[in-house]
Amino acid sequence: LVTALNLKDGQVLWERQMDSTPCVAPLESGGSVFLALEDGTVMLLDAESGEPKAERVLKNKAVLDPLPWDRGAILFLEDGRIVWLESEQGTKSKQRRVTAMPTTAYRNKNHLVVGSAMGVIDCFSPLTAEVLYTYDTESDAPIDQIVAHSDRVFAVIGKSRLVCLNPSSLQIAGEFT
């Protein structure tokens, strides 16, 4: 069951029973609520009414909460695909593949930075899906957390190693264990 509440008073705006269980948090973007389900389906519901707008079968379930982009949502799938879906009909706009299953992602205005289960960091343009760089940490440990600030990317690798990466040179600017 998916429920939309009014933030001001907690009143139920709408509820929708789903055929499958959501596997990540829902995302509202561009007037649609994106619901990634355990069966590999993404449902788009109208944000105001909860009425179904579209359904897309992606064949693999999402493994991270979706992130917004200017025309919809970015979804991260267990087979390593990153899919950009548009808000109106859920049309697949762009798709990229990362080295291994995504484990964490961060988006700001100019960068979509994705860490994988095999210690690789991929950076894309969030608007065009262009690959900006790929960085191999030379570790089989997963990237547990990632954040970008100013001109640096910070990644926690295997819960015990913090790396600061300079995106312009692809060199480690600092490392802490």
Side-chain angles (χ1 to χ4, degrees):
L1 182 66
V2 177
T3 304
L5 301 175
N6 183 320
L7 278 176
K8 293 179 183 173
D9 59 15
Q11 294 294 317
V12 173
L13 299 173
W14 52 262
E15 291 184 326
R16 172 73 49 198
Q17 187 66 43
M18 306 307 297
D19 292 335
S20 182
T21 305
C23 55
V24 294
L27 172 74
E28 190 281 324
S29 180
S32 291
V33 175
F34 290 80
L35 290 171
L37 305 175
E38 286 285 340
D39 65 4
T41 302
V42 176
M43 294 292 303
L44 274 73
L45 305 177
D46 181 84
E48 293 296 317
S49 68
E51 292 299 315
K53 291 174 77 172
E55 180 178 318
R56 294 290 167 249
V57 177
L58 299 177
K59 298 180 184 172
N60 280 268
K61 72 177 186 178
V63 292
L64 297 175
D65 292 345
L67 295 175
W69 69 294
D70 65 335
R71 295 189 346 238
I74 304 169
L75 286 98
F76 306 90
L77 307 181
E78 66 183 347
D79 67 353
R81 285 183 296 148
I82 302 171
V83 178
W84 283 253
L85 294 180
E86 296 190 8
S87 292
E88 272 312 302
Q89 297 299 319
T91 306
K92 192 185 308 180
S93 175
K94 300 166 187 54
Q95 179 173 293
R96 289 282 183 234
R97 185 174 294 278
V98 292
T99 309
M101 182 179 73
T103 53
T104 184
Y106 176 83
R107 181 190 187 272
N108 63 21
K109 183 177 178 181
N110 298 314
H111 301 93
L112 171 63
V113 185
V114 181
S116 77
M118 296 300 291
V120 176
I121 298 169
D122 293 289
C123 184
F124 305 91
S125 163
L127 302 179
T128 66
E130 172 190 1
V131 178
L132 301 175
Y133 63 84
T134 296
Y135 181 76
D136 188 343
T137 65
E138 299 178 5
S139 169
D140 288 337
I143 308 294
D144 292 317
Q145 296 176 344
I146 203 159
V147 67
H149 177 71
S150 185
D151 66 342
R152 299 281 192 256
V153 172
F154 298 91
V156 175
I157 305 166
K159 301 191 187 320
S160 63
R161 182 175 163 209
L162 173 65
V163 172
C164 175
L165 178 69
N166 181 337
S168 60
S169 67
L170 299 181
Q171 300 297 313
I172 293 179
E175 181 171 349
F176 307 92
T177 55

